[in-house]
Amino acid sequence: MAEQTKVKFLVFRGTEEDNTLKEYTIDFVEGMVVLDAMLEIQAKYASDLGIRCNCKAAKCGSCTAEVNGMPRLMCKTRLSSLPVDKPIVIRPLKAFPLIKDLVSDISWNYEVNRKITPFTPKEDCDWRIYQDDVDRVQEFRKCIECFLCQSTCHVLRTHDKKDSYFGPRFLVRLAGLIMHPLDSIDRTEHVKEQAGIEYCNITGCCSEVCPEKIKITDNAIIPLKERTVSRYYDPLISIFRYFFRKKK
Amino acid sequence: MSKYKTHEYDVLIIGSGGAGLRAAIAAKEKGAKTAIVCKCLLGKAHTVMAEGGIAAAMGSLDPDNWQTHFQNTMFGGKYVNDWRMTEIHSKESPDRVRELEQWGAVFDRTKDGKMLQRSFGGHTYRRLVHVGDRTGHEMIRALQDKVVSMGIDIYMEFMISHLLLDDGRIAGAFGFFKDTGKFVVFNSKSVILATGGMGKIWRITTNSWDNTADGISLAYFAGAELKDMEFVQFHPTGMVWPLGVKGLLVTEAVRGDGGLLTNNKGERFMEKYDPKLMELSTRDLVARAINQEVREGRGTEHGGVYLNISHKPSAYVKKKLPSMYDQFLEFADLDITKQPMEVGPTCHYMMGGVSVDPQTQMSTTDGLFAIGEIAAGLHGANRLGGNSLSDLIVFGRRAGSAAADYAKGMKSLPIIDQKEIDEHKDWLFSFFETKSDCPPSLVHTKLQDIMERDVGLIRDDEGLKKVLSDLDSLSQQYKNTYLEGNLQYNFGWHIAISLKFMLITAKIVSRASLERKESRGALYRKDFPKAEEEWGGKSVVIKNKDGNMSVSTVPIQPMPSNLEDYIKKEKEEWLNKQK
């Protein structure tokens, strides 16, 4: 690694209709991340590069792209973690429509978010909350909404089920609401019918790409699945429903 | 009819950080037709980077009260704060924090289930409500969810490049969508600037890419008075290595939770500078102390000092400072539970900004309001950690409500001047027509070089005058900057426009620093190293007068005696030390 002085990048440039992978070479600086490289390319060779970035500290979740095919935050991807002896390929997120260059249109996520009823506290509560009761919720609230999980989830990425599945990010938000000790809403039906939790077949890809290391599948989705299963598919209740169902 | 798509509002809020979102909620609650426009995506504003906590005298753990919070803030600000704003802030913060909890924020808890509060520099009591070291992010999520559920209109990735006036009062704003380059006019009865800071004028900064001084410049060209612009806070602890993350914030919570500062001799050097408060002294003092240690050869390998928390149990560090743990592990291959961090000063916050009415946050331009980092007054010459987050929600709410009332008082929408828009649009296009070999990024780099050189922690007459002349020549070069491509998501174009904001603001900061001939809080003048009693009673005000920058001083209104009583003793002690 120490002798590496130049790094080659193949960067996606253009729109859906007209695009190319353009080659750029930059000097390697110790500690450099992919976003540093893209900003240097923008400053020196590609003034009109389309790129989203903001905090440069892995806190805002804006600078998403696919680095050698993996959805990543560019500001959190050190060059030293990549095989820099070969060109590094940088593309926009695959699961969303392209705007230009590395910028994709992620507005669908904001539409989904609007479908979730916000936190609705129980009436007359005294707001005494114990740390043990919110540890789980705080894990989910770490989400920086980079939507890497959304871009990785094969239900959205490969099968494009955006009309019937909210995706991991919003199951995490729902889990945070459901497990909040003071939330008063029964959200189980919403999780099953609107959020489409049954589409998830727990491959765990979302957890792998999460920059906040939220255990999305284990801690959010599986507990929500358990709730839907015990509400809708409990065998005893099903038998009960079968025998006592209303005659048409 | 305008040739541009036009939206009409009662209240238009520019910026989606904590202040902007809180203002939107308040305006909407009052029945105003409200919209938020933001340069970034919703939920990505610079507030998400705030780490340590929200200062509010809740008294979860200690016998805290608003008077002590007031006293601490005035002492931190070295007594040039707008005392009325400081009073309002100290009194209203606790209620605003409780509101966040009711909207879904989940703060860390005490053993008996109350909101946990932590120590921070300059605060007498444990006062900062927090969630680990990602408090700003929690605030944004709670406010964002509330805003979305209220159905407030939001224009994301939309850049405002010009404010519109109708006979001296605000008439709206003009700008474009980043993704398409499509121009839009907002015709609005009132406009609230919540655009945040200007850190990107410096190279070493904790600020995000969006903090390009937009609001200062927009307000200046809309004729509003700016105040205290010489006071720029350099946070004592930013990362110094690797280069790519130089300047990145290392939260004060590290010191609040027991972190110690040492030089390369292993000495806890704060003993020399502030033996009473040590590591938890005010930020101006700690930053200059670190600067002096490094200058005098007691720095670390990468030009900082050591900040060590590894004497605390590993689990405690990971629970209290999870982002810091990750940040150093990911970016510097360093485990803060085992090794000391290397830190140094980094440009963090502007205390000055638009001069506003303390009750309503209205500027001297009718119908134009300013809140959060872009408003002057609350923090005086130096801000205490934690006070910015409470600033956002206290004055965001007040401004949203006042702007809605102001709009109600207007019978019809102000008139938009089409010619003004056309001229401005020609300027926006002009970059694509210029032929030169100077891209906007090069101008930006040069600007940062100039500011790092002479408008940092330590300033003087000679350096500031040189800056002003260098900025003049850079502004000439800027006129010839060229761009490639088209209007669609063009990063270079966005920088080119921001450079107008940054160049004028750099000049304002330098001009104000030159005017104040003393050292106070964050402003340290080598040629006037002490605070002067005379300067304690006035503020430097800058205003655009017919295209020229007018600089003057205005007296600070005397404080009523009941408030004076809270701060008298400390103020006298501090003044005596200056002699």
Side-chain angles (χ1 to χ4, degrees):
Chain A
M1 199 58 221
E3 68 277 9
Q4 188 80 33
T5 53
K6 300 269 182 202
V7 187
K8 216 175 256 181
F9 285 89
L10 290 172
V11 182
F12 181 94
R13 300 294 315 269
T15 56
E16 204 72 72
E17 301 79 39
D18 177 20
N19 59 65
T20 171
L21 276 182
K22 208 163 171 200
E23 189 181 301
Y24 301 96
T25 305
I26 56 149
D27 291 329
F28 176 83
V29 179
E30 203 179 350
M32 203 174 210
V33 292
V34 171
L35 183 59
D36 292 325
M38 290 305 109
L39 290 173
E40 192 172 327
I41 288 168
Q42 187 280 327
K44 288 189 176 154
Y45 314 110
S47 152
D48 64 336
L49 180 71
I51 183 169
R52 237 187 222 126
C53 72
N54 216 335
C55 77
K56 221 192 147 299
K59 290 191 166 70
C60 77
S62 302
C63 64
T64 48
E66 308 216 338
V67 179
N68 286 343
M70 271 296 272
R72 305 287 292 262
L73 285 183
M74 290 191 278
C75 70
K76 214 176 180 176
T77 308
R78 294 270 293 269
L79 292 195
S80 54
S81 71
L82 299 166
V84 285
D85 50 329
K86 286 181 288 216
I88 297 165
V89 182
I90 314 288
R91 287 173 176 277
L93 293 186
K94 185 178 173 240
F96 303 108
L98 179 67
I99 293 174
K100 180 191 139 181
D101 297 347
L102 302 179
V103 183
S104 37
D105 175 6
I106 55 172
S107 55
W108 172 76
N109 293 291
Y110 287 88
E111 286 162 29
V112 174
N113 194 37
R114 270 201 293 273
K115 294 178 188 163
I116 297 175
T117 309
F119 172 63
T120 310
K122 293 169 186 161
E123 277 173 33
D124 305 324
C125 52
D126 64 357
W127 296 97
R128 291 272 171 158
I129 303 170
Y130 297 95
Q131 188 60 47
D132 288 347
D133 296 333
V134 287
D135 277 340
R136 293 190 302 179
V137 177
Q138 284 182 335
E139 179 191 1
F140 305 140
R141 293 190 66 87
K142 285 196 316 194
C143 169
I144 59 173
E145 296 201 323
C146 61
F147 306 122
L148 288 179
C149 57
Q150 304 286 80
S151 190
T152 308
C153 169
H154 62 99
V155 181
L156 302 172
R157 187 182 175 96
T158 319
H159 303 287
D160 199 24
K161 284 283 178 197
K162 294 198 186 77
D163 53 347
S164 34
Y165 181 51
F166 279 12
R169 155 60 192 142
F170 297 103
L171 292 175
V172 165
R173 182 172 173 212
L174 281 164
L177 290 165
I178 287 169
M179 297 182 201
H180 192 301
L182 298 181
D183 188 55
S184 62
I185 297 188
D186 181 350
R187 300 173 189 267
T188 310
E189 190 191 336
H190 180 74
V191 166
K192 179 176 181 286
E193 302 301 337
Q194 279 87 47
I197 195 167
E198 286 160 12
Y199 277 99
C200 169
N201 56 2
I202 50 175
T203 51
C205 311
C206 49
S207 309
E208 270 172 45
V209 295
C210 177
E212 286 295 319
K213 302 189 179 76
I214 301 170
K215 291 185 176 134
I216 302 174
T217 322
D218 293 354
N219 292 354
I221 298 182
I222 292 176
L224 292 198
K225 274 180 177 283
E226 284 166 358
R227 281 164 205 245
T228 16
V229 165
S230 53
R231 169 81 60 91
Y232 293 96
Y233 304 105
D234 186 300
L236 283 174
I237 292 175
S238 297
I239 291 165
F240 182 81
R241 280 204 190 117
Y242 179 80
F243 285 109
F244 295 94
R245 70 187 187 276
K246 279 184 189 156
K247 296 275 184 327
K248 278 187 183 155
Chain B
M1 266 309 276
S2 172
K3 43 186 156 171
Y4 309 102
K5 174 95 182 148
T6 304
H7 297 290
E8 295 173 351
Y9 286 101
D10 295 328
V11 180
L12 177 75
I13 296 155
I14 307 175
S16 62
L21 297 177
R22 187 62 190 84
I25 295 166
K28 183 82 176 177
E29 274 172 348
K30 281 226 163 173
K33 193 177 176 215
T34 306
I36 297 170
V37 289
C38 51
K39 276 210 292 192
C40 55
L41 293 163
L42 183 64
K44 315 264 179 229
H46 183 62
T47 307
V48 296
M49 295 179 78
E51 293 167 352
I54 314 169
M58 320 274 299
S60 296
L61 299 161
D62 300 319
D64 203 357
N65 51 46
W66 75 263
Q67 291 91 336
T68 314
H69 194 181
F70 174 79
Q71 181 196 359
N72 292 159
T73 307
M74 292 297 296
F75 178 78
K78 296 298 172 266
Y79 305 107
V80 289
N81 319 45
D82 180 320
W83 52 264
R84 180 69 184 122
M85 274 176 83
T86 308
E87 182 192 6
I88 290 171
H89 170 255
S90 314
K91 283 181 176 165
E92 293 183 4
S93 295
D95 280 345
R96 297 289 82 75
V97 172
R98 280 181 207 110
E99 236 164 35
L100 290 180
E101 188 170 68
Q102 284 152 21
W103 296 337
V106 183
F107 298 113
D108 286 347
R109 316 308 296 183
T110 62
K111 281 200 179 98
D112 55 351
K114 292 192 260 184
M115 287 183 235
L116 182 61
Q117 298 184 273
R118 67 156 50 112
S119 308
F120 238 58
H123 293 282
T124 303
Y125 297 115
R126 286 173 285 181
R127 188 175 285 147
L128 270 71
V129 175
H130 62 277
V131 191
D133 50 7
R134 49 164 210 88
T135 314
H137 173 263
E138 187 68 15
M139 174 186 275
I140 283 284
R141 276 302 169 267
L143 293 171
Q144 176 186 350
D145 290 346
K146 180 76 182 166
V147 162
V148 168
S149 73
M150 290 174 86
I152 293 166
D153 292 349
I154 300 159
Y155 300 84
M156 293 199 294
E157 299 202 304
F158 188 99
M159 188 163 179
I160 296 286
S161 57
H162 193 60
L163 290 184
L164 302 165
L165 295 176
D166 173 8
D167 196 19
R169 78 169 176 209
I170 207 76
F174 180 74
F176 57 89
F177 282 105
K178 283 187 185 176
D179 59 351
T180 56
K182 220 171 95 188
F183 296 105
V184 174
V185 175
F186 288 96
N187 190 187
S188 184
K189 290 177 182 169
S190 66
V191 171
I192 301 179
L193 291 172
T195 50
M198 57 171 180
K200 274 295 170 187
I201 299 176
W202 285 263
R203 174 164 305 113
I204 301 167
T205 175
T206 60
N207 283 202
S208 80
W209 264 93
D210 271 348
N211 289 11
T212 49
D214 305 26
I216 290 292
S217 163
L218 292 171
Y220 176 78
F221 288 113
E225 274 181 16
L226 307 173
K227 198 173 79 173
D228 295 339
M229 287 299 291
E230 65 275 29
F231 298 124
V232 181
Q233 180 167 78
F234 289 79
H235 196 288
T237 59
M239 286 178 82
V240 293
W241 189 90
L243 274 182
V245 288
K246 191 164 179 172
L248 194 60
L249 181 62
V250 178
T251 174
E252 189 166 325
V254 177
R255 285 173 284 140
D257 292 342
L260 303 176
L261 287 167
T262 51
N263 59 21
N264 67 11
K265 293 193 159 72
E267 298 161 342
R268 271 181 80 186
F269 56 85
M270 282 311 295
E271 260 165 11
K272 284 184 288 187
Y273 304 90
D274 188 347
K276 194 170 139 208
L277 296 175
M278 295 294 286
E279 277 83 1
L280 289 179
S281 179
T282 53
R283 287 177 174 176
D284 51 338
L285 226 143
V286 182
R288 275 198 297 279
I290 293 175
N291 180 282
Q292 190 168 335
E293 290 300 304
V294 175
R295 259 185 309 137
E296 290 172 1
R298 293 186 294 276
T300 62
E301 186 191 346
H302 299 102
V305 294
Y306 293 113
L307 173 61
N308 199 351
I309 186 90
S310 64
H311 50 280
K312 294 274 179 185
S314 169
Y316 170 86
V317 174
K318 286 181 192 167
K319 169 75 191 161
K320 300 303 287 183
L321 304 161
S323 307
M324 288 305 107
Y325 175 74
D326 278 353
Q327 183 173 311
F328 275 89
L329 205 59
E330 303 257 357
F331 294 133
D333 304 317
L334 190 138
D335 181 350
I336 66 168
T337 65
K338 297 196 176 78
Q339 297 156 280
M341 298 160 250
E342 281 180 74
V343 294
T346 168
C347 178
H348 188 52
Y349 189 88
M350 62 170 175
M351 272 68 72
V354 179
S355 181
V356 291
D357 176 87
Q359 303 273 359
T360 63
Q361 301 278 293
M362 179 137 87
S363 73
T364 56
T365 297
D366 263 4
L368 180 65
F369 298 72
I371 44 175
E373 186 166 351
I374 198 194
L378 170 60
H379 309 292
N382 173 58
R383 176 173 72 79
L384 295 187
N387 273 356
S388 65
L389 285 183
S390 35
D391 174 5
L392 306 181
I393 44 181
V394 166
F395 293 103
R397 172 178 159 277
R398 280 181 163 262
S401 169
D405 288 344
Y406 175 90
K408 261 184 214 158
M410 281 178 74
K411 287 199 187 77
S412 59
L413 279 163
I415 293 161
I416 300 282
D417 180 355
Q418 291 300 326
K419 207 174 126 244
E420 190 187 346
I421 296 177
D422 287 338
E423 278 170 19
H424 177 72
K425 206 192 75 181
D426 287 346
W427 173 72
L428 290 173
F429 276 117
S430 66
F431 297 104
F432 295 98
E433 287 147 16
T434 323
K435 291 272 171 278
S436 79
D437 55 359
C438 177
S441 306
L442 186 65
V443 179
H444 192 194
T445 307
K446 285 184 178 177
L447 171 64
Q448 292 179 329
D449 286 341
I450 295 169
M451 298 304 276
E452 290 287 344
R453 189 191 69 208
D454 282 319
V455 199
L457 265 178
I458 295 167
R459 304 174 197 174
D460 65 8
D461 184 86
E462 195 192 337
L464 291 166
K465 282 185 177 149
K466 188 160 180 336
V467 167
L468 287 168
S469 102
D470 288 353
L471 287 175
D472 276 345
S473 29
L474 191 62
S475 299
Q476 288 306 317
Q477 201 176 353
Y478 167 60
K479 283 184 184 152
N480 292 318
T481 181
Y482 85 103
L483 288 176
E484 293 168 349
N486 54 30
L487 302 187
Q488 196 185 19
Y489 227 114
N490 185 334
F491 197 83
W493 189 38
H494 306 157
I495 297 181
I497 298 163
S498 308
L499 274 168
K500 175 190 168 182
F501 306 150
M502 290 193 275
L503 281 164
I504 192 74
T505 307
K507 188 174 168 182
I508 291 167
V509 172
S510 311
R511 200 57 200 78
S513 310
L514 197 60
E515 192 67 16
R516 186 174 279 275
K517 290 171 180 61
E518 65 155 354
S519 291
R520 181 178 295 267
L523 176 70
Y524 185 80
R525 292 267 317 239
K526 207 162 60 183
D527 39 358
F528 301 99
K530 295 267 181 203
E532 305 292 338
E533 207 162 350
E534 174 208 348
W535 276 100
K538 53 190 180 185
S539 311
V540 177
V541 165
I542 292 195
K543 191 175 159 64
N544 180 19
K545 274 202 179 128
D546 311 316
N548 293 313
M549 195 177 283
S550 110
V551 185
S552 57
T553 54
V554 296
I556 297 172
Q557 294 304 311
M559 199 182 291
S561 59
N562 64 319
L563 292 181
E564 185 79 46
D565 288 345
Y566 299 132
I567 61 162
K568 217 182 213 160
K569 196 169 144 257
E570 268 192 328
K571 186 177 177 181
E572 272 163 18
E573 276 172 21
W574 176 72
L575 276 173
N576 284 334
K577 263 193 221 160
Q578 300 295 312
K579 282 168 191 161

